[in-house]
Structure formats: C-alpha cells, structure tokens
Amino acid sequence: MPDAPFDSAAARAQVLDKIAAAATARARPPSDVTLVAVSKQQPWEPVAQVLAAGQTVFGENRVQEAQARWGDHRQGVELRLIGPLQTNKVAEAVALFDVIETLDREKLARALAEEFRKGGKTLRLYVQVNTGEEPQKAGVAPAEADDFIALCRNALGLNLEGLMCIPPADAPPGPHFALLAKIAARNGLSKLSMGMSGDYETAVRFGATSVRVGSALFGARTPA
C-alpha cells in the first residue's frame, strides 16, 4: 500500500502542543511563542492545509519565490523573510514582507533605511547573529553585535524588534540560544527568533518568542 499523504494540519496541531508544553515548563504562556511556518520550496497544497487550519505567519527564504507563492494569497498573512537578502532586492522585499529576520551587515541596513525613507513603509527587523561564527553562514559575529545594533538604531534610525540565529548543525543548540538571549537582553531587545524543526522545543525553553518550523509541519522535502 502507498504511504498515506502527510497531514500538515495534524502536524501543526502536534507542533503547537509541543510548543505549549515547552513554554509551560518554563512558566511562560504558550501565546508568547509564535509559530512561523517555513513554506519555502513547498507546493501550495500543504501550505493551504495549514493556512486553513489557522496558521497566519509564514517564513520564506527568497523574495521571488515568495512573490510567486503569495501573490494571490497575501490577505491576512504575515510574511517573514528568513533567508539572506541581497541589497538589489530590498525594494521588492519591503513591498512584500512584514518582517525581515536576516539583517546582517551595514550595507543592507543602509539600503533598508533608505528604502523606508523613500517609500514611507517600515518593517519589523531582526538582526541575524552568527552564534557559531561559521564562515559559510550569514550573520553578525557575537562580538560585533552590540556595535551593529547601535549603528542600526542610532545612525540609521531602524526600529529593531529582536535577534535571530541558526546554530551550527553539529553542535548542541542550547548554548547558542543562551548566547542570543544574552545579547538581546543587554541591548533591550525582547524578541528571539530561534529554533527549527529539530530543536524548537529547546529554543522555547531558552526564551524563543518565535520558532521557524518547516519539515515538522510539511514533511521532509523530496528532491526534484
């Protein structure tokens, strides 16, 4: 018999239950944690399943892919850019997204500030911190985070909402989540985007206010 199709609506309910349990274990209300459904590279059918189940916050990696997926389905949805942003895509990103979680360099910060000035629209912004200092990964080094946050706020007038990180795949995530929380606390930032399908419960226990979940919601992607 063929395998039953993956039920994304049921998977979402299970993920929300686990988020609630992890939050409650730390005396936090489950409503403190936002589930970001990572819809990148997904066909529309499973995305529509979780949308129909009540999911309203989605994460996308690429501007053009998000434009194609959400162009006709934008109403009532919060879109977050969780992948790297090239400066030549800033205008398109600002037009489409509500939140950019991958602010990671001065050139991008200046491009966003200029686009906000020109268009009169501002987005909620997260600074991406490369907690593992991995050369292949985007993000501000932890030792440079305070200065970068100050530049964004003071010199460019950007309204930062929080911090985001992606821990190294081969390392325990807890210390990286703790480091991100420490940087956020000393800079007066209340939002922490951390945790993915394999470690979102740990992230919630370390203070995550949003978790970015893909495969646990949609099943493992099969190669094209």
Side-chain angles (χ1 to χ4, degrees):
M1 288 181 60
D3 292 338
F6 190 87
D7 187 338
S8 289
R12 175 179 180 269
Q14 293 175 350
V15 169
L16 288 173
D17 284 346
K18 290 179 179 179
I19 289 172
T24 302
R26 288 294 185 267
R28 299 177 63 197
S31 59
D32 275 0
V33 186
T34 298
L35 171 60
V36 180
V38 178
S39 45
K40 65 175 185 177
Q41 299 179 18
Q42 294 295 338
W44 179 249
E45 185 175 324
V47 177
Q49 283 183 12
V50 297
L51 193 61
Q55 181 66 29
T56 59
V57 184
F58 291 84
E60 291 281 348
N61 262 37
R62 294 182 175 87
V63 175
Q64 285 178 299
E65 183 187 342
Q67 288 171 327
R69 180 174 293 106
W70 293 103
D72 297 328
H73 307 281
R74 191 66 182 83
Q75 188 170 357
V77 168
E78 178 183 294
L79 283 186
R80 299 189 177 203
L81 182 64
I82 58 174
L85 177 59
Q86 298 173 328
T87 53
N88 64 356
K89 296 289 186 183
V90 161
E92 292 174 83
V94 170
L96 180 65
F97 289 94
D98 301 290
V99 182
I100 292 175
E101 295 200 3
T102 49
L103 176 54
D104 63 349
R105 61 199 186 280
E106 182 176 344
K107 184 179 179 181
L108 177 58
R110 292 190 180 279
L112 285 166
E114 178 61 23
E115 185 61 30
F116 293 163
R117 280 193 291 271
K118 285 194 304 184
K121 177 185 178 183
T122 60
L123 305 187
R124 294 148 54 200
L125 301 174
Y126 286 62
V127 169
Q128 182 174 353
V129 180
N130 187 349
T131 56
E133 301 188 63
E134 298 173 274
Q136 80 282 9
K137 193 173 286 182
V140 180
E144 299 169 1
D146 293 358
D147 287 344
F148 183 68
I149 290 166
L151 169 77
C152 290
R153 283 172 162 167
N154 302 331
L156 301 177
L158 296 175
N159 184 20
L160 302 181
E161 181 168 289
L163 303 180
M164 179 267 241
C165 76
I166 305 171
D170 58 353
H176 294 272
F177 297 152
L179 173 59
L180 196 73
K182 184 177 180 181
I183 296 170
R186 70 175 180 243
N187 285 283
L189 293 168
S190 61
K191 301 293 187 180
L192 294 169
S193 173
M194 56 191 196
M196 297 185 289
S197 287
D199 56 19
Y200 65 88
E201 292 171 89
T202 301
V204 172
R205 291 193 289 269
F206 276 90
T209 58
S210 59
V211 293
R212 310 177 305 274
V213 179
S215 60
L217 282 177
F218 298 113
R221 284 192 298 272
T222 54

